[in-house]
């Protein structure tokens, strides 16, 4: 890197320009080196030494490097930290470079691949139990197109939605990487910007057809223009990232927007479906229920929970399979044991198609497919097979010829590296066997030579050794060297070391050449077989992917059955009406957490229907209100995802949209005021919830002062009851809301029970009918360790407040604030009037630019000075 314009520096900068926005891994011998800011950034993330190399513009060039053979681990950490990496490899050997451009020629380097979070296929870089989604989004005439792919398995989905549903759609997909057109103002904040022309719908359609080698996409489904535009952006990005090598892409599936229960981002976060709110899987719903034996099963389960179904038939089909496996513990245990040993063939296939497959990946496909057939044969003998299983079984068979080929061709446990060969089984290729025999016999001949030379020379310490530089050589201790140095000894001198001298001989040279030649031919033969086997697997990619999907679906059902058996869960009855009857319901996550501490979870019932569709739930803090709300939402979600539910029995009328909101507490969320967030989220419910929706509202209105909080809570309950008419559970600490029962006929009052015992509060976590009889705030404060003197003082303040309220007529005391608000509004109106008046008076045409500017300043000053 010395000087300003060394050829290497020029090459580096040219590659760096191509790698825009990425860290550049620049291959130098056995290392990938990073320079300049890339080096600073990577050294900090990887915690490796930052050094310098040469100088640029008079300053030392910062540099750091990672060994090429262990680059994967470093890549993983950089990707996790949110970086993207361009890999620049040497694409010719130094010898080739010299031949091309003389002794000083620079080795040619090219970017061979972009490694980004959404385009990974390597086992070490992926989480086995999580899908890895790459998503492209764009807007076409007001409609959003979304294309999503998990290139580790090739699953691809296209959908479209209204502009205001983009957030919810992305929340469902949970992408690792998002790309969007650069000129689109409303693109998601995290999106990588790509050229607009990538997102042309006709080009997208053409690319899809080309990838799948079809003349029309009709066979895959009906795709709209926005979907095709997004697909175009996605495929263009994949083409760019893979430098022309397309990863595994299965035929796209059009996702209908109402085929899944709608949940927005806030609902997903608050229900902690795939991730707990404090981050990570631990404490989430999926962590509490996932009993899948395979990574592919766990990924499918996550997908199911992210998009619960709304079609009764489809839900029942899944439940029937779970039920069948639930009823037969022995079959289930056998099946799960077999599944546990199953390799992840979906992801192995992904690597193979992306050109990053190894002999081991071929072995995994072989073993997985063979096992799938055995599972199919086993299940086919069982009676009363549910319909879904009948649909899965055919996908698990087939592959006979391919499995047979792979079984004959590969050794039982093929290696991950292929440059050393050794993965093609004996007996598969006679010529290869012969080459191997030749090198084997040459090796034996060399061993024999060693014995002969010892005898001939009388030097017992003579050895034949091998190293990477000299190849085979004869080595004797220095003191014996003279005898071999004689010109007629038959040995030629090669190297003198400190205590030893090395020689060659004609016989050794010949045998070594035989080994090298046979070895080289054998490697070439194995490589050719590898290409053929890879091609055979790629040919069958769709059928293999279908097998992987069928196995994953079976695993999910077996895992769900296992979880149900473990926790004594039940199969919900799915109905078309608007009931929600859950007897003995429990919260799967809280129950599990309590069980760890040896505590028992108190089961509770929920009974909503058309006549009684809104429950207002009061009672002390920590009494179990939130838990009750969430458990019912989770039970609905689980049931529609096709899982059994933690309850004694459940009758669930299909839910089209699920909303969960928790009143803001005092931590700041996402930079907006928490109360603002609370209201934005509440507004979304009021505008989107339908009669078929289920809504849980937990302490909404808590984020502001008592009076307007109460007023808002009041108004929200009324609106939900009168306008949305959805099923709703509303938890609140505002006693005053109880009065709503007088006017809202489908609303009923409930509370979590508590009892004061010897001055302490005992929380029973039991739901009962009727309003909460009093506020237990003071008792909770005492329970929490607030000093007695403070609690006593609070008690006397409370008494005074309650007395005052009784005299002024309860809620009316709060409404006393209203005129104040009105007065403030009036003042603001007045100011607007004067400003309007002055604007009207301006004759804009008569103003010089200078005068216009002055007028603007004056107006602004007035506005500021009259601000209330
Ligand atoms: P609230 O919303 O009324 O303040 P939570 O639902 O947050 O109360 O519950 C507080 C705690 O009480 C929970 O963390 C849990 O430990 C316990 N709890 C809640 N519901 C139950 C239940 N049904 N059975 C046993 N313990 C419960």
């Amino acid at each position: 890197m010395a000087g300003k314009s060394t050829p290497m520096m020029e090459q580096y900068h040219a590659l760096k320009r191509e790698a825009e926005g990425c860290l550049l891994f620049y291959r130098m011998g056995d290392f990938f080196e990073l320079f300049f800011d890339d080096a600073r950034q990577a050294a900090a993330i990887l915690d490796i030494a930052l050094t310098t190399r040469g100088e640029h513009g008079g300053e030392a060039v910062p540099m750091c490097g990672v060994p090429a053979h262990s680059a994967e681990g470093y890549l993983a950490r950089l990707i996790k930290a949110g970086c993207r990496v361009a890999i620049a490899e040497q694409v010719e050997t130094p010898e080739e470079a010299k031949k091309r451009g003389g002794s000083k020629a620079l080795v040619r380097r090219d970017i061979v691949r972009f490694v980004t979070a959404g385009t990974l296929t390597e086992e070490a870089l992926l989480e086995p139990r999580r899908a890895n989604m790459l998503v492209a989004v764009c807007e076409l005439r007001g409609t959003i197109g979304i294309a999503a792919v998990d290139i580790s398995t090739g699953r691809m989905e296209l959908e479209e939605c209204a502009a205001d549903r983009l957030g919810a759609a992305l929340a469902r997909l949970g992408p690792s990487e998002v790309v969007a057109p650069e000129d689109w103002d409303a693109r998601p904040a995290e999106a990588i910007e790509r050229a607009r022309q990538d997102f042309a719908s006709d080009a997208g359609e053409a690319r899809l057809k080309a990838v799948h080698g079809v003349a029309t996409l009709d066979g895959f489904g009906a795709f709209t223009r926005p979907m095709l535009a997004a697909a175009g952006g996605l495929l263009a990005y994949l083409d760019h990232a893979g430098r022309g090598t397309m990863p595994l892409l299965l035929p796209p599936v059009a996702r209908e927007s109402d085929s899944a229960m709608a949940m927005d981002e806030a609902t997903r976060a608050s229900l902690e479906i795939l991730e707990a709110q404090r981050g990570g899987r631990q404490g989430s719903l999926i962590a509490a229920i996932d009993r899948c034996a395979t990574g592919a099963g766990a990924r499918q389960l996550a997908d199911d929970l992210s998009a619960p179904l709304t079609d009764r038939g489809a839900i029942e089909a899944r439940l029937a399979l779970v039920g069948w496996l639930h009823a037969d513990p022995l079959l289930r245990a056998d099946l799960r044991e077999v599944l546990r040993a199953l390799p992840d063939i979906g992801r192995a296939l992904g690597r193979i198609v992306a050109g990053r497959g190894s002999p081991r990946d071929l072995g995994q496909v072989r073993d997985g497919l063979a096992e799938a057939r055995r599972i199919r044969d086993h299940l086919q003998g069982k009676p009363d097979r549910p319909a879904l299983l009948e649909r899965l079984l055919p996908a698990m068979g087939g592959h006979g010829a391919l499995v047979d080929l792979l079984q004959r061709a590969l050794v039982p446990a093929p290696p991950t590296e292929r440059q050393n060969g050794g993965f093609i089984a004996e007996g598969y290729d006679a010529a290869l066997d012969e080459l191997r025999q030749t090198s084997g016999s040459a090796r034996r001949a060399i061993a024999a030579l060693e014995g002969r030379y010892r005898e001939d020379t009388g030097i017992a310490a003579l050895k034949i050794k091998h190293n990477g530089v000299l190849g085979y050589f004869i080595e004797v201790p220095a003191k014996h060297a003279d005898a071999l140095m004689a010109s007629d000894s038959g040995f030629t001198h090669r190297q003198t070391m400190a205590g030893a001298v090395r020689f060659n001989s004609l016989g050794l040279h010949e045998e070594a050449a035989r080994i090298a030649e046979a070895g080289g031919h054998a490697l070439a033969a194995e490589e050719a077989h590898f290409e053929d086997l890879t091609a055979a697997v790629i040919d069958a990619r769709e059928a293999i992917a279908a097998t992987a999907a069928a196995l994953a679906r079976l695993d999910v059902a077996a895992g769900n059955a296992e979880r149900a058996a473990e926790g004594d869960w039940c199969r919900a009855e799915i109905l078309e009406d608007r009931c929600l009857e859950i007897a003995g319901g429990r919260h799967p996550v809280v129950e599990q957490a309590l069980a760890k501490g040896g505590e028992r979870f108190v089961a509770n019932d929920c009974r909503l229907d058309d006549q009684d569709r809104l429950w207002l739930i009061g009672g002390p803090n920590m009494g179990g209100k939130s838990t009750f709300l969430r458990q019912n939402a989770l039970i609905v979600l689980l049931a529609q995802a096709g899982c059994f539910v933690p309850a004694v029995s459940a009758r669930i009328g299909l839910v089209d949209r699920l909303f969960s909101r928790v009143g803001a507490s005092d931590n700041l969320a996402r930079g907006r005021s928490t109360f603002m967030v609370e209201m934005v989220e509440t507004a979304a419910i009021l505008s989107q919830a339908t009669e078929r929706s289920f809504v849980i509202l937990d302490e909404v209105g808590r984020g502001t002062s008592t009076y307007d909080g109460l007023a808002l809570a009041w108004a929200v309950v009324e609106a939900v009851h009168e306008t949305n008419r959805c099923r709703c559970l509303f938890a609140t600490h505002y006693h005053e809301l109880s009065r709503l029962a007088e006017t809202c006929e489908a609303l009923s009052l409930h509370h979590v029970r508590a009892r004061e015992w010897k001055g302490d509060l005992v929380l029973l976590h039991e739901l009962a009918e009727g309003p909460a009889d009093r506020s237990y705030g003071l008792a909770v404060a005492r329970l929490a360790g607030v000093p007695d003197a403070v609690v006593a003082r609070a008690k006397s303040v409370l008494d005074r407040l309650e007395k005052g309220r009784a005299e002024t007529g309860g809620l009316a005391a709060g409404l006393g604030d209203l005129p104040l608000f009105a007065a403030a509004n009036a003042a603001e109106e007045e100011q607007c009037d004067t400003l309007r008046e002055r604007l009207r008076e301006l004759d804009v045409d008569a103003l010089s630019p200078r005068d216009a500017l002055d007028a603007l300043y004056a107006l602004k000053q007035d506005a500021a000075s009259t601000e209330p």
Side-chain angles (χ1 to χ4, degrees), residues 590 594 600-602 604 620-627 698 765:
V590 175
L594 288 177
R600 205 177 56 87
F601 188 90
V602 181
N604 279 304
N621 221 336
M622 292 300 283
K625 298 185 294 297
S626 304
T627 307
D698 191 357
H765 301 126

Side-chain angles (χ1 to χ4, degrees), residues 202-483:
D202 45 358
E205 183 173 0
R207 274 180 185 271
L208 269 181
K209 285 181 190 163
V211 163
H212 295 290
V214 292
T216 161
L217 298 175
D218 293 349
F220 300 150
F223 305 104
T224 62
R225 288 279 135 199
M227 292 180 186
L228 294 171
L234 184 79
L235 294 181
Y237 184 67
L238 286 175
D239 195 37
H240 156 80
R243 306 296 275 173
T245 307
M246 267 291 164
L248 172 58
L249 292 174
L250 297 170
V253 177
R255 181 184 269 272
E256 285 170 38
S257 50
D258 56 358
S259 67
M261 189 163 86
M263 291 186 275
D264 54 24
E265 198 176 350
T267 299
R268 286 171 199 277
S270 100
L271 291 179
E272 309 188 289
I273 300 171
L274 302 185
E275 220 173 64
Q277 286 199 322
R278 58 172 181 275
R281 187 175 154 108
Q282 208 189 346
S284 65
L285 173 66
I286 194 166
I289 71 160
D290 179 6
R291 294 295 180 274
C292 290
T294 67
R299 298 196 295 270
Q300 181 64 58
L301 177 64
D303 202 46
D304 290 358
L305 295 178
S306 301
L309 303 172
T310 49
D311 178 74
R312 189 166 154 225
I315 298 169
E316 293 289 0
R318 283 188 193 172
L319 288 174
L321 181 55
V322 178
W324 189 69
L325 291 161
H326 185 254
D328 192 341
L330 281 181
L331 170 67
R332 187 171 77 238
D334 281 352
L335 178 62
R336 294 182 71 238
E337 176 142 354
V338 177
L339 288 170
R340 237 185 307 261
L342 207 65
D344 199 332
I345 53 175
R347 285 195 165 169
L349 179 68
R351 288 188 290 275
I352 292 169
V353 175
R356 295 171 210 142
S358 70
R360 179 164 172 268
D361 291 324
L362 293 174
Q364 291 197 342
V365 169
R366 168 197 64 191
D367 299 344
L369 294 180
E371 208 53 65
R373 289 167 64 100
R374 270 195 290 279
I375 294 174
R376 180 199 61 171
D377 294 346
H378 184 63
L379 293 178
Q380 238 155 15
K382 300 288 165 190
D384 306 324
R385 293 184 303 279
L388 177 56
L389 184 61
E390 288 299 276
R391 286 206 296 278
L392 297 178
L393 288 178
M396 293 164 56
H399 308 301
L402 180 63
V403 172
D404 181 61
L405 171 69
L406 292 171
Q407 280 175 340
R408 279 187 298 112
L410 293 169
V411 298
T416 43
E417 300 287 331
R418 67 175 201 264
Q419 57 265 41
N420 301 323
F423 50 85
I424 295 296
E426 228 181 283
Y428 178 65
D429 172 359
L432 175 62
D433 289 347
E434 205 161 292
L435 288 168
R436 284 176 174 164
Q437 246 166 25
T438 307
S439 54
S441 77
R443 272 196 192 90
R444 282 190 296 281
I446 286 175
L449 270 182
E450 188 180 71
R452 224 182 69 212
Y453 289 154
R454 279 183 194 165
E455 241 167 66
D456 290 355
T457 59
I459 305 170
L462 179 146
K463 287 200 179 87
I464 293 183
K465 293 186 172 176
H466 181 273
N467 71 25
V469 182
L470 295 184
Y472 286 94
F473 54 86
I474 299 150
E475 186 177 285
V476 296
K479 60 179 183 227
H480 296 298
D482 285 351

Side-chain angles (χ1 to χ4, degrees), residues 42 48 55 204 437 509 527 543 600 678 739 831:
I48 56 176
E55 58 176 39
Q437 246 166 25
H509 177 77
E527 187 62 29
R600 205 177 56 87
E678 184 181 330
R739 294 249 201 113
Q831 187 205 348

